[in-house]
Amino acid sequence: MIVIVRKRVNLLEIISVREKSEYKDMAIEYFQRIWASPASMKVYEDSIESCINSKSPLPQWYLLMSEDKIIGCAGLVTNDFISRMDLYPWVCAVYIEEKQRGNNYGAMLLEKAKYDTRKGGFTNLYLCTDHVGYYEKFGFEHIGTGYHPWGESSRIYSIGV
């Protein structure tokens, strides 16, 4: 007797809001819920809306979708609220839903950001974070410390694309 077991495989897709503007409102709501404070709600709304018709390669906003559900996000921006304005672009707002962590989905978003960084004519990608050990797994190197307008500091990382 032969038994065939079929396991349902989730189809994952990275949505670029710039390329699929019909996801704009969904992206705004998600980024605001995950990342915004009451004072920064408009920052996400305005940046996501403006990326759609921008002639510049930045900003970019991404949703990681599993079927019709958002399970993560990231952005590609000119500055991530950090003092090092001489460095850009920055991958920002990387987030994977807790239940989805451990599946290397963050790497997918980072690869998309790296691809769009190259496509935009840039040679390096930067990020700022307090997570030590995570981004190093993907080839990012710690290059220094940057300072935020609200008085905190973060580690700055770089990777060639």
Side-chain angles (χ1 to χ4, degrees):
M1 177 161 124
I2 298 174
V3 176
I4 298 173
V5 177
R6 293 183 188 219
K7 184 177 177 183
R8 184 165 187 239
V9 176
N10 286 340
L11 299 176
L12 298 178
E13 181 181 12
I14 296 176
I15 301 291
S16 164
V17 176
R18 176 182 293 229
E19 295 166 6
K20 295 188 175 184
S21 61
E22 63 270 22
Y23 286 87
K24 173 190 67 134
D25 292 335
M26 186 185 297
I28 291 169
E29 186 279 324
Y30 190 78
F31 277 93
Q32 286 176 332
R33 182 168 50 83
I34 298 300
W35 290 108
S37 67
S40 66
M41 298 288 275
K42 277 294 203 186
V43 171
Y44 289 97
E45 179 181 343
D46 188 45
S47 183
I48 291 168
E49 285 179 346
S50 348
C51 85
I52 294 168
N53 295 314
S54 177
K55 301 296 181 213
S56 168
L58 303 171
Q60 294 270 356
W61 296 97
Y62 311 112
L63 296 174
L64 178 60
M65 306 289 293
S66 175
E67 317 251 334
D68 61 348
K69 185 175 190 263
I70 302 173
I71 63 168
C73 64
L76 185 61
V77 297
T78 56
N79 188 275
D80 194 13
F81 305 108
I82 194 94
S83 58
R84 291 298 306 273
M85 295 190 190
D86 57 318
L87 306 175
Y88 59 91
W90 296 78
V91 64
C92 70
V94 177
Y95 182 81
I96 301 295
E97 292 289 334
E98 255 186 76
K99 291 180 180 178
Q100 301 295 330
R101 293 178 187 168
N103 294 306
N104 218 22
Y105 295 157
M108 294 172 62
L109 289 165
L110 292 172
E111 284 302 316
K112 176 63 172 160
K114 285 168 55 179
Y115 173 81
D116 284 345
T117 297
R118 270 190 311 277
K119 192 169 134 186
F122 303 100
T123 56
N124 290 297
L125 177 60
Y126 302 92
L127 65 86
C128 58
T129 185
D130 295 328
H131 295 290
V132 177
Y134 179 74
Y135 293 99
E136 292 91 336
K137 292 188 290 188
F138 306 110
F140 282 86
E141 294 180 19
H142 177 245
I143 61 166
T145 301
Y147 303 91
H148 301 286
W150 51 89
E152 295 176 6
S153 64
S154 289
R155 295 168 60 92
I156 296 176
Y157 290 83
S158 174
I159 192 168
V161 296

